[in-house]
Amino acid sequence: MLNARRRRFVGRGAELALLRTTLEEAELPFALLHVYGPGGVGKTALLGEFARVGGEAGVGVVRLDARNMDSSPEGFLSALRLGLGLDATASPIEFLSRQGRSLLLLDTYENLTPLDAWLRETFLPQLPEHTLVVFAGRKPPGAAWRSDPGWRDLIRTLSLRNLRPEESREYLTRRGVVEEKHQAVLDFTHGHALALSLVADVLEQGAGEWDFDPGRHPDVVAALLERFVQEVPSPIHRQALEASALVRSTTESLLAECLHIEDVHPYFEWLRKLSFVQSGPVGLFPHDLAREALEADLRWRNPDWNAELHRRARGYYTRRLQETRGLEQQHILFDDVYLHRHNPMVKPFLEWGETGGVFAERGQAEDHPVVLAMIARHEGLEAARVAARWLELQPEGLTVYRGVGSQPAGFMLMLGLHKASPADLAADPVAQQVWNYTERYGPVRPGEQVSLFRFWMEGERYHMVSSVQSVIFLNTVQHYISSSKLAWSFFGISGPEFWLPAFAYMNIHHASEVDYVSGTHAIGVFAHDWRKQPVAAWLEMLGERELATELNPAQLQDHRPAPLVVLSEPEFEEAVKNALRDFMRPEALAHNPLLRSRLLLEPTPKALRTAIWEAAQTLKANSKDEKFYRALERTYLEPAATQELAAELLGLPFSTYRRHLVGAVERVVKLLWQRELSG
């Protein structure tokens, strides 16, 4: 397959000549070659030829793609170690220093923008002088490269453009396109490399005559892909292509889930050979322009199948989220959230193309001054004082997010209020209000956790949509999924009216009575009781909303909890007796005060019936109390028409039956009262 792609490569003579002459020099005339150009122009193909030229010149070649690595120094070095075949403890710098001339090729450089300063100031200066580095991306080098005296003479730039007419004709000839079609294809594609390859793919499938009229098809790539889909070998091949456009990256296991076919290897290999599909260490992915066109066509042409593909992919991710932890789980979460990217209640609130440029790590003591300075700048000195105290008490709750440079670009400070003492809570009015809220609406039981995302921000943009904010949001979701004992979560954010659609979509309600002002910012607090809607049910709900593109906040039910009712023991006893009498009448149970007591996590008649039934089963399981259970069963759980008939069915004198019934009610009341107190 690789040889076939090389045979199809045409043009770029000047670029290849520059690399050859550079590698032939006794001393490299420059250290970095930066190739840039628009999407689909052929940068990845050129790097493939650079790798071939380097191999022919006898230099060591390492080829990396920024799409397949974490945008952190350690993520970059890990990918480099893998490319060099080193173990996790080896130093790539030391290894390259011991080697002869080396060529390091790095594709999709725009994804490493947050590492730009680190690469320029730290990593590249450490490389031996005999190593040549090539970056390929959509943008030219930033101003810092051009203004840095140390780099000005060590960097060369190449602007990659469309193929020249003669190069385009040569490519079409190599792909078997008859000469009489060449001019029409050139007029249609203008030498755009991806468009040319798609034309050849379309004609290769036997499309026959087709109107290459740019006036009728202004979106060249979309028009070509629409035609390509019509001519694929089979419906299953079409479904495989559609699935690859829907998900972030395609593996054989994910494809099998999407297609409901055990052996998908032939279809996976077919995808792999397509000119507009690329391979990475985590799977296959179509070119960005191809993905957009394929997905838009599927949503319009077959919305039912689009929804079914979403459902199958979502099922795969949901299962994997429960099976994984740490960084692997985070990657799967990114894949899962990617399915929501077209929903208008989600799309405006995340940076979809740039979150990979921010990396998170546990905050250290040396990060505290920077974090506190951010808080003081955006929320004032008093807020910084409160944060400093929490950093002393719970330093493990600090996560920092680094982008360009080594200093934190943002941070998140999450507090475990269940670990805080009464004095700790009292020292922070916000934490105290949040804890009081849990006491009022759903007290925390022993072993349960309460997470308050007390402070978080991007250094410059505060709570505005940004790559840092997006990663913070995703990390909070990862916390929800990973915390098996989480009872409550609380998330404060400036400008709650703006963010309301996103939180409504996630069924995380606005706990407005806990809102507060910090500095000049009005902070809205959004809360969720994970006992009432556990993570599995929450993920299922999000999946159902995924394709509801017409959804708006007004259509979503606000699951804001009702305040708890604190009943005295006599009031509680009376409520239990009423519930027993109304056991077969859910409409009457709906008005029972027990629905708003500590007894129930879910304030529904069904939950109350379950609590009573479980208490009754406790009697049934005890041989001494079984007689009480039978009286309770015949009176309330599976009632006879009258109490006299119940006594007759039980074979008891009426007075004995009544004594057993009174004893049963007393025992049920006692069991439920103990549960109320322990709640």
Side-chain angles (χ1 to χ4, degrees):
M1 182 177 63
L2 185 59
N3 289 334
R5 293 196 182 217
R6 286 177 174 171
R7 286 195 299 270
R8 296 171 178 176
F9 186 87
V10 300
R12 311 306 187 194
E15 292 84 355
L16 295 173
L18 173 64
L19 181 66
R20 287 193 182 95
T21 56
T22 299
L23 294 176
E24 290 169 358
E25 295 284 344
E27 294 185 5
L28 292 174
F30 52 86
L32 174 64
L33 177 62
H34 192 119
V35 181
Y36 67 95
V41 79
K43 300 182 293 296
T44 298
L46 178 61
L47 285 196
E49 284 301 292
F50 276 5
R52 180 183 62 80
V53 169
E56 292 175 351
V59 306
V61 179
V62 182
R63 187 174 178 184
L64 305 175
D65 193 324
R67 285 173 292 201
N68 305 319
M69 65 178 71
D70 290 324
S71 295
S72 66
E74 186 52 43
F76 178 87
L77 292 174
S78 295
L80 181 56
R81 289 188 189 97
L82 184 63
L84 292 170
L86 304 177
D87 61 42
T89 61
S91 167
I93 301 296
E94 294 179 3
F95 178 83
L96 290 170
S97 298
R98 296 193 300 267
Q99 303 302 303
R101 180 156 291 175
S102 301
L103 178 63
L104 174 57
L105 305 171
L106 182 57
D107 204 356
T108 325
Y109 185 71
E110 64 269 17
N111 281 19
L112 292 184
T113 300
L115 286 185
D116 195 66
W118 178 80
L119 288 166
R120 183 178 63 253
E121 299 168 5
T122 304
F123 175 75
L124 293 180
Q126 296 181 65
L127 290 176
E129 294 182 352
H130 55 257
T131 298
L132 177 64
V133 179
V134 180
F135 291 167
R138 295 192 177 188
K139 300 175 182 178
W145 292 93
R146 300 189 299 271
S147 61
D148 189 325
W151 277 105
R152 193 174 301 147
D153 298 328
L154 296 177
I155 186 172
R156 296 288 186 276
T157 60
L158 282 178
S159 175
L160 210 60
R161 301 301 180 190
N162 288 354
L163 294 172
R164 294 194 297 271
E166 63 272 21
E167 295 169 339
S168 299
R169 292 179 186 277
E170 181 182 354
Y171 176 81
L172 293 173
T173 298
R174 292 188 183 187
R175 292 294 305 272
V177 179
V178 295
E179 187 174 351
E180 54 265 28
K181 292 184 181 290
H182 286 190
Q183 190 58 51
V185 172
L186 265 61
D187 292 341
F188 190 58
T189 63
H190 302 287
H192 186 270
L194 177 60
L196 282 169
S197 70
L198 282 169
V199 166
D201 287 342
V202 168
L203 295 177
E204 195 174 72
Q205 292 188 144
E209 295 300 321
W210 194 48
D211 176 20
F212 294 107
D213 180 0
R216 292 184 58 190
H217 307 285
D219 189 338
V220 174
V221 172
L224 288 168
L225 283 166
E226 181 182 351
R227 182 69 180 206
F228 179 85
V229 169
Q230 294 173 2
E231 304 294 338
V232 292
S234 75
I236 297 179
H237 287 82
R238 182 190 304 115
Q239 291 172 0
L241 181 61
E242 291 163 345
S244 73
L246 179 72
V247 300
R248 234 178 29 135
S249 59
T250 303
T251 61
E252 284 198 15
S253 58
L254 175 55
L255 190 61
E257 186 90 13
C258 289
L259 301 185
H260 283 184
I261 295 176
E262 287 189 12
D263 183 13
V264 295
H265 184 70
Y267 306 103
F268 186 84
E269 288 301 311
W270 174 78
L271 285 172
R272 198 182 209 174
K273 295 175 183 177
L274 296 178
S275 63
F276 55 88
V277 173
Q278 301 174 42
S279 301
V282 294
L284 305 177
F285 51 93
H287 190 283
D288 293 346
L289 300 178
R291 181 195 296 278
E292 292 169 7
L294 285 167
E295 196 175 7
D297 175 66
L298 175 62
R299 289 198 306 270
W300 169 81
R301 177 172 46 81
N302 196 341
D304 291 343
W305 173 239
N306 179 53
E308 178 62 16
L309 273 179
H310 269 260
R311 187 188 66 78
R312 295 180 184 183
R314 183 172 67 248
Y316 175 83
Y317 294 138
T318 299
R319 186 178 70 253
R320 296 288 293 134
L321 283 171
Q322 304 300 327
E323 297 170 348
T324 55
R325 290 293 181 270
L327 190 58
E328 184 181 4
Q329 185 188 63
Q330 180 174 306
H331 288 160
I332 295 168
L333 178 60
F334 286 175
D335 290 342
D336 190 22
V337 173
Y338 189 78
L339 296 174
H340 296 258
R341 65 193 180 279
H342 296 300
N343 193 294
M345 289 185 65
V346 179
K347 187 174 182 179
F349 303 102
L350 294 172
E351 286 279 6
W352 294 97
E354 301 177 14
T355 55
V358 175
F359 64 96
E361 62 183 15
R362 182 171 174 174
Q364 303 299 322
E366 54 266 29
D367 296 315
H368 292 187
V370 178
V371 166
L372 294 174
M374 283 188 201
I375 296 173
R377 174 185 174 188
H378 290 286
E379 297 190 16
L381 293 175
E382 177 59 22
R385 184 193 65 78
V386 173
R389 189 170 186 277
W390 282 118
L391 284 172
E392 290 180 5
L393 293 168
Q394 297 188 20
E396 70 279 4
L398 177 64
T399 302
V400 295
Y401 299 85
R402 305 191 195 278
V404 177
S406 59
Q407 292 298 321
F411 74 92
M412 175 174 66
L413 179 57
M414 184 190 71
L415 307 179
L417 296 191
H418 55 285
K419 298 186 291 185
S421 70
D424 296 336
L425 294 174
D428 179 1
V430 172
Q432 185 67 68
Q433 284 187 94
V434 167
W435 186 258
N436 293 345
Y437 186 92
T438 68
E439 288 289 289
R440 185 179 182 194
Y441 292 102
V444 179
R445 296 183 172 93
E448 293 180 335
Q449 301 170 358
V450 177
S451 295
L452 168 61
F453 296 90
R454 179 65 174 90
F455 295 99
W456 69 273
M457 63 190 66
E458 199 261 9
E460 297 298 325
R461 305 181 70 185
Y462 188 51
H463 287 182
M464 295 174 64
V465 176
S466 67
S467 55
V468 171
Q469 163 269 330
S470 299
V471 176
I472 287 174
F473 274 32
L474 293 173
N475 284 167
T476 62
V477 173
Q478 189 176 9
H479 175 70
Y480 303 153
I481 293 171
S482 302
S483 304
S484 60
K485 299 297 185 180
L486 187 61
W488 282 99
S489 64
F490 294 86
F491 192 91
I493 193 165
S494 178
E497 296 80 10
F498 170 76
W499 295 100
L500 185 60
F503 285 99
Y505 181 87
M506 294 186 290
N507 194 33
I508 297 178
H509 72 271
H510 185 192
S512 55
E513 63 195 78
V514 195
D515 289 354
Y516 61 97
V517 175
S518 190
T520 60
H521 295 282
I523 308 296
V525 178
F526 291 84
H528 190 83
D529 187 337
W530 295 97
R531 299 162 301 182
K532 294 183 178 179
Q533 186 184 37
V535 167
W538 185 69
L539 291 173
E540 183 178 353
M541 177 208 69
L542 290 178
E544 293 171 355
R545 294 178 176 181
E546 188 178 300
L547 292 174
T549 56
E550 303 301 321
L551 205 61
N552 63 71
Q555 296 172 287
L556 300 178
Q557 181 180 355
D558 187 353
H559 291 280
R560 188 174 308 175
L564 290 179
V565 173
V566 180
L567 299 172
S568 66
E569 189 169 1
E571 291 171 331
F572 187 88
E573 180 180 352
E574 184 62 27
V576 172
K577 290 178 178 178
N578 289 335
L580 285 168
R581 283 193 289 268
D582 296 331
F583 189 82
M584 303 301 294
R585 300 167 56 225
E587 69 282 359
L589 285 178
H591 303 289
N592 192 293
L594 291 176
L595 265 61
R596 292 184 288 126
S597 70
R598 298 169 185 255
L599 178 67
L600 306 177
L601 285 178
E602 184 180 353
T604 64
K606 180 180 179 181
L608 180 53
R609 282 170 55 92
T610 300
I612 292 172
W613 185 85
E614 289 174 348
Q617 297 310 301
T618 303
L619 303 184
K620 183 180 181 180
N622 187 331
S623 58
K624 293 182 179 180
D625 291 337
E626 187 178 2
K627 60 186 178 183
F628 300 117
Y629 169 78
R630 289 189 286 110
L632 191 75
E633 180 184 35
R634 281 302 183 187
T635 308
Y636 299 122
L637 307 184
E638 297 180 14
T642 65
Q643 289 193 3
E644 289 77 6
L645 181 57
E648 182 180 339
L649 291 172
L650 291 171
L652 296 173
F654 187 74
S655 60
T656 304
Y657 156 77
R658 286 291 301 169
R659 188 171 64 253
H660 289 180
L661 180 60
V662 170
V665 172
E666 288 176 350
R667 284 163 172 76
V668 168
V669 169
K670 183 178 180 180
L671 288 166
L672 295 179
W673 178 247
Q674 290 172 346
R675 180 168 163 179
E676 166 83 355
L677 294 180
S678 64

